[in-house]
Amino acid sequence: MGKTHITVANLTMAYGNLIIQRDMDFTINRGDIFIVMGGSGCGKSTLMRHLIGLKQPAKGEIFYQNLSFWDASPKVRRQLMMKMGVSYQSGALFSSMTLAENIALPLSAFSPLTRSEIREIVSLKLALVGLAGFEGYYPAEISGGMQKRAGLARAMALDPDILFFDEPSSGLDPISSRLLDDLILHLRDNLGATIVVVTHELSSIFAIGNNSVFLDAESKTIIAKGDPKQLLAECDVSKVRRFLTRGDCGQALEFQHHGQ
């Protein structure tokens, strides 16, 4: 893929004296769909919080290209954060606002655009995620899958370089989940964004991921990294193999070629 976009160097994550993960080293290239995977309690969402600036490392560094995120001045860090879009697990839409109002929120807060320009961008972003014409709907009036897509439209509002997804397929039926995977691939291919996905869903891991890390809760470190399909074929770490072949292995393998 492209040049290195994010570098994580010697990272230790902790809550007080409780170490979550230690000595983490990996790189994410521009244009990657990078999967953060592992069992429950291994620190997947905690890693995302470190990457988007919500939690400071106990040790180590996170670089965006050549800039050390946590060593940067507050002003530079804020500029880096403005280049990130985050789509949360539930969609995290404001229930009292229409979809248009939800998506307009970051544009109103962080851009000098006029109201009519914001309306135009909102309609464009909703169309990108397959929700053209839904501007006036409230979150409660649409399905869970549509709420997630609307959350993605809001994450894309400021044209970020990097999109972060926290369990995007969680709670969705297989068809909605597959449509969301297709959308993520489309965004990477057409917008050139780097995408980081926290997920445990095998179908999505194989369908969209081209790079990954596997976090282990027991040893508190990364025990595998690379293309998930390659890990499935070649990784000899039993814990990783069990994770990647759990449930219906045939179904997981079927998804390897999805979207290619």
Side-chain angles (χ1 to χ4, degrees):
M1 301 298 287
K3 294 179 179 176
T4 299
H5 202 163
I6 305 169
T7 303
V8 171
N10 198 31
L11 183 71
T12 292
M13 309 188 302
Y15 291 100
N17 294 324
L18 177 65
I19 302 287
I20 307 299
Q21 288 281 321
R22 60 165 68 87
D23 305 326
M24 303 172 76
D25 290 288
F26 61 89
T27 58
I28 301 173
N29 292 321
R30 188 172 288 279
D32 271 356
I33 297 182
F34 187 90
I35 307 291
V36 180
M37 57 184 175
S40 297
C42 68
K44 299 187 295 292
S45 294
T46 301
L47 175 56
M48 186 166 119
R49 285 195 283 274
H50 282 71
L51 292 171
I52 65 176
L54 295 181
K55 180 151 178 59
Q56 192 161 356
K59 190 180 76 171
E61 293 184 274
I62 298 167
F63 294 92
Y64 282 88
Q65 291 165 303
N66 296 318
L67 278 171
S68 175
F69 184 85
W70 289 103
D71 288 343
S73 68
K75 182 182 177 184
V76 171
R77 199 180 305 147
R78 182 179 169 84
Q79 288 169 346
L80 288 170
M81 290 170 76
M82 292 287 287
K83 295 178 180 178
M84 305 174 189
V86 184
S87 183
Y88 296 97
Q89 186 168 339
S90 61
L93 299 167
F94 292 100
S95 59
S96 61
M97 300 171 108
T98 64
L99 299 193
E101 289 167 341
N102 266 282
I103 294 150
L105 203 58
L107 292 161
S108 303
F110 300 115
S111 80
L113 297 170
T114 64
R115 282 187 180 181
S116 63
E117 288 170 333
I118 288 174
R119 272 199 303 275
E120 199 173 317
I121 289 172
V122 164
S123 293
L124 173 66
K125 300 301 179 185
L126 281 170
L128 263 177
V129 299
L131 291 174
F134 282 83
E135 286 85 349
Y137 282 69
Y138 287 89
E141 297 176 317
I142 59 176
S143 71
M146 293 165 83
Q147 286 177 28
K148 284 182 185 269
R149 283 188 276 146
L152 172 53
R154 186 178 62 190
M156 293 191 305
L158 294 168
D159 294 325
D161 286 343
I162 310 165
L163 280 165
F164 292 91
F165 292 86
D166 188 11
E167 297 285 1
S169 303
S170 175
L172 295 184
D173 63 85
I175 293 172
S176 298
S177 178
R178 194 156 181 167
L179 287 171
L180 195 62
D181 288 341
D182 286 339
L183 178 58
I184 291 170
L185 286 165
H186 174 79
L187 293 174
R188 192 273 310 273
D189 294 342
N190 288 276
L191 303 180
T194 301
I195 297 175
V196 179
V197 184
V198 171
T199 185
H200 67 279
E201 300 279 349
L202 282 184
S203 57
S204 291
I205 288 168
F206 293 126
I208 63 177
N210 72 294
N211 197 359
S212 72
V213 286
F214 189 98
L215 310 186
D216 179 42
E218 194 177 8
S219 62
K220 299 184 188 297
T221 194
I222 294 169
I223 58 172
K225 48 183 137 175
D227 186 319
K229 294 179 280 295
Q230 201 168 342
L231 291 178
L232 177 66
E234 299 172 7
C235 183
D236 55 5
V237 180
S238 59
K239 199 174 286 188
V240 177
R241 287 205 61 77
R242 278 199 305 275
F243 180 90
L244 292 174
T245 57
R246 67 202 147 90
D248 184 353
C249 182
Q251 185 188 38
L253 285 164
E254 173 200 334
F255 277 94
Q256 283 193 46
H257 303 292
H258 170 50
Q260 294 179 2

